[in-house]
Amino acid sequence: MGRRSKRKGSANELRFSKKLQEQFDKHGLKYRVRRTPRSGAIHEFEPADLMFSGLPNDSVFKRHFELKNSASWSIEDWWAKANIIEVERGTNREPTLIIRKPNSFQSYVVVDEDDYIKMLIELEILKHE
């Protein structure tokens, strides 16, 4: 991977982690999120692109976050790689892809269909409690 691609990816990871941290702070959640050093390239670190601290065990943020900033999208490949990493580590967290095209202000979230339905149902139940 070239230096420009690494910078582009790092900037995207930093942008998203800051945006998420702002929301945690705004809503009084004592969670911390930051970009994983070297994006998980070192085994001692989190294998995903984001590291969290202060999350409860049942947090919806206990996921494998992969952030991509690419002109061409390989969703199936990115998804498979995240799953393989989780199985190898024994953490088995569900992947979440945050994807965007370079120079775009719009990002998209990719989650498994069943996982998405489960999230919506849980939100709906919470609304009616």
Side-chain angles (χ1 to χ4, degrees):
M1 180 185 301
R3 198 176 279 164
R4 183 175 182 272
S5 290
K6 286 182 184 179
R7 261 193 317 245
K8 185 177 62 164
S10 295
N12 188 44
E13 293 163 6
L14 187 59
R15 176 201 60 81
F16 184 78
S17 65
K18 283 184 176 181
K19 184 176 188 176
L20 188 53
Q21 186 63 58
E22 287 172 1
Q23 290 301 308
F24 287 163
D25 295 344
K26 176 181 175 183
H27 294 283
L29 297 170
K30 300 297 181 197
Y31 311 156
R32 290 286 162 251
V33 60
R34 62 177 235 180
R35 180 182 169 273
T36 301
R38 309 256 320 195
S39 293
I42 301 173
H43 276 293
E44 292 81 39
F45 286 115
E46 167 66 42
D49 290 335
L50 299 179
M51 293 173 52
F52 292 87
S53 60
L55 294 179
N57 288 335
D58 62 348
S59 174
V60 296
F61 291 100
K62 292 227 177 207
R63 307 184 64 78
H64 182 109
F65 282 87
E66 283 293 324
L67 286 93
K68 302 295 181 186
N69 188 4
S70 177
S72 61
W73 291 358
S74 302
I75 293 172
E76 291 88 359
D77 294 339
W78 296 334
W79 190 271
K81 184 178 178 186
N83 268 320
I84 289 167
I85 290 168
E86 287 299 314
V87 169
E88 287 175 352
R89 286 282 183 108
T91 46
N92 298 311
R93 296 172 302 181
E94 290 293 324
T96 297
L97 305 177
I98 311 293
I99 58 177
R100 65 187 283 166
K101 299 220 179 219
N103 303 316
S104 174
F105 293 104
Q106 183 65 48
S107 294
Y108 301 91
V109 177
V110 179
V111 295
D112 175 76
E113 176 182 52
D114 291 337
D115 202 27
Y116 182 67
I117 291 169
K118 179 183 170 196
M119 285 185 229
L120 290 176
I121 295 297
E122 287 177 1
L123 282 172
E124 193 65 20
I125 290 168
L126 284 173
K127 279 179 59 176
H128 294 286
E129 286 184 350

